Amino acid sequence: LPRVKVPSVVLEILAGIVVGPSVLGWVSVDQPIAVLALVGLAFLLFLAGLEIDLAALRCDLLRLPLIGFVVTLALGLAAGVGFSAAGWVKNPLFLAIALSATSLGLVVPVLKDAGHADRPLGQLTIAGATVADFGAVILLSLLFSESEGGTASRLITLGLFAAVIGAVALTLARAGRSVRIDAVLVRLQDTTAEIRVRIAVALLIGFVALAAHVGLETILGSFMAGAVLGMVDRDTLSHPQFRSKLESVGYGFVIPGFFVTSGLRFDLDALTASPSALARVPLFLAALLAVRGVPALLYGRSLGKDGAVTAALLQATSLPFLVTATGIGVAVGAITAVTAAALVSAGLVSVVLFPPLAVARLRRLQPAGVVHQPSPLANRPMGTQD
């Protein structure tokens, strides 16, 4: 629907709601659909991790985003306590973590389109989204995993998992510097072997399987697989089409399956059962804007008032992680199905509302000599998360 100026992920979730049990009842989630959704979720987090440029995150650039993430958790915990007092949330800390992420896969293209990705506003916003995504995925896996075991044992497991990831990253980096291996990869990368794509998918499946085997959330394994690949594969001169091939597999097939399935599982009846249930949506949206947007005001000294407000709107854009987190939250009993539906609805509104407002402000902050191109918000799938 190219004339509908909303991200495709919104239409995919709405399509799932319409054909699912809540409206037409044509489709329900059986085992094949559930498997496709799981693969789609893994690929979504994998591509979100691939967006992260660890080499660009200098210490001076990370200071404000790290402080901002601490403020985010504090504000989220305060919001969680308030919603818990109203009986909407069973665990305030879970809500704080659920509200703490940003859709990095949408923020980056918006900033690139506006010519601000390499400027202070873009660098701070991307760094803030990166810190938020990393922190949210790790905290959710550490504190609210569906597996058995306490936080201390999960912390030890997380350390061992990080050690394995580091060893794999070093091995891949060393292999990438081998002239012989590089020659083989270049020779086979654009044949039917598609060797780089196969290695990337093997890395994804391996990390997801390892995370599941040791009792961590699979989203952590897929996210870290993307981050590791992005770290060891910075030089793409010899294979410029590699990442677009991965995006074609993900956004062209499996990721839409995850979002449509999220729509199938969306409890529309519970959300529309009473006015009080619907009232949660704008309140959660306001909480999302406060929790992720207010910390961006720390950038005011560097970016000015307009730049800080623009960064706040972009940082408050979140959907993929909310969809993922609410599924886990319902499974572990941290939130009810009604609250999960309201949180996802708030995420849908944030994706439709906040990026266009940010784009309008970015046009006023347009760098000299940059010709603005229309942002492909209507067709850009989201990674992050989202």
Side-chain angles (χ1 to χ4, degrees), residues 106-117 121-122 125-126 314 362:
L106 183 60
V107 168
V108 172
V110 167
L111 290 167
K112 285 183 178 179
D113 291 341
H116 281 271
L121 187 152
T125 305
I126 292 172
L314 291 173
L362 285 171

Side-chain angles (χ1 to χ4, degrees), residues 26 32 49 67 111-112 121 127 131 153 177 223 236 244 269 342 354:
W26 292 351
I67 296 173
L111 290 167
K112 285 183 178 179
L121 187 152
V131 170
S153 63
R177 290 192 294 267
F223 188 79
T236 60
S244 63
D269 294 334
F354 295 156

Side-chain angles (χ1 to χ4, degrees), residues 49 56 81 116 149 278 321:
V81 170
H116 281 271
L278 279 175
F321 184 78

Side-chain angles (χ1 to χ4, degrees), residues 132-365:
D133 276 8
F134 253 124
V137 169
I138 290 175
L139 287 175
L140 186 67
S141 297
L142 185 63
L143 301 176
F144 293 98
S145 175
E146 297 181 58
S147 62
E148 297 180 357
T151 301
S153 63
R154 288 183 196 149
L155 191 60
I156 295 173
T157 301
L158 185 63
L160 295 174
F161 184 67
V164 172
I165 289 174
V168 172
L170 289 174
T171 302
L172 291 176
R174 178 172 295 182
R177 290 192 294 267
S178 169
V179 176
R180 180 177 298 178
I181 294 177
D182 187 64
V184 172
L185 293 178
V186 170
R187 180 168 58 87
L188 297 177
Q189 66 188 11
D190 294 319
T191 67
T192 54
E194 291 291 357
I195 191 65
R196 291 187 187 274
V197 175
R198 294 191 188 195
I199 291 173
V201 174
L203 183 68
L204 167 62
I205 293 174
F207 275 24
V208 167
L210 177 62
H213 183 70
V214 299
L216 297 172
E217 288 296 331
T218 56
I219 60 172
L220 180 60
S222 52
F223 188 79
M224 293 308 300
V228 167
L229 183 62
M231 180 177 63
V232 302
D233 188 54
R234 292 196 297 270
D235 183 9
T236 60
L237 291 177
S238 64
H239 48 284
Q241 305 302 320
F242 170 52
R243 299 198 179 193
S244 63
K245 290 177 181 180
L246 291 177
E247 290 184 352
S248 297
V249 174
Y251 294 130
F253 176 39
V254 292
I255 292 175
F258 165 68
F259 284 116
V260 173
T261 304
S262 299
L264 296 176
R265 291 169 171 159
F266 189 87
D267 196 344
L268 184 62
D269 294 334
L271 185 62
T272 57
S274 67
S276 62
L278 279 175
R280 303 182 191 193
V281 178
L283 292 176
F284 281 139
L285 180 66
L288 182 62
L289 182 59
V291 169
R292 287 300 295 138
V294 169
L297 299 181
L298 294 170
Y299 309 156
R301 179 174 296 181
S302 301
L303 306 179
K305 180 180 177 180
D306 285 342
V309 172
T310 302
L313 289 169
L314 291 173
Q315 287 192 172
T317 303
S318 179
L319 180 59
F321 184 78
L322 276 176
V323 173
T324 305
T326 52
I328 295 173
V330 171
V332 300
I335 57 174
T336 63
V338 177
T339 298
L343 278 169
V344 173
S345 299
L348 285 168
V349 177
S350 79
V351 169
V352 173
L353 186 62
F354 295 156
L357 292 175
V359 168
R361 301 186 69 88
L362 285 171
R363 286 172 180 165
R364 291 188 293 177
L365 300 171

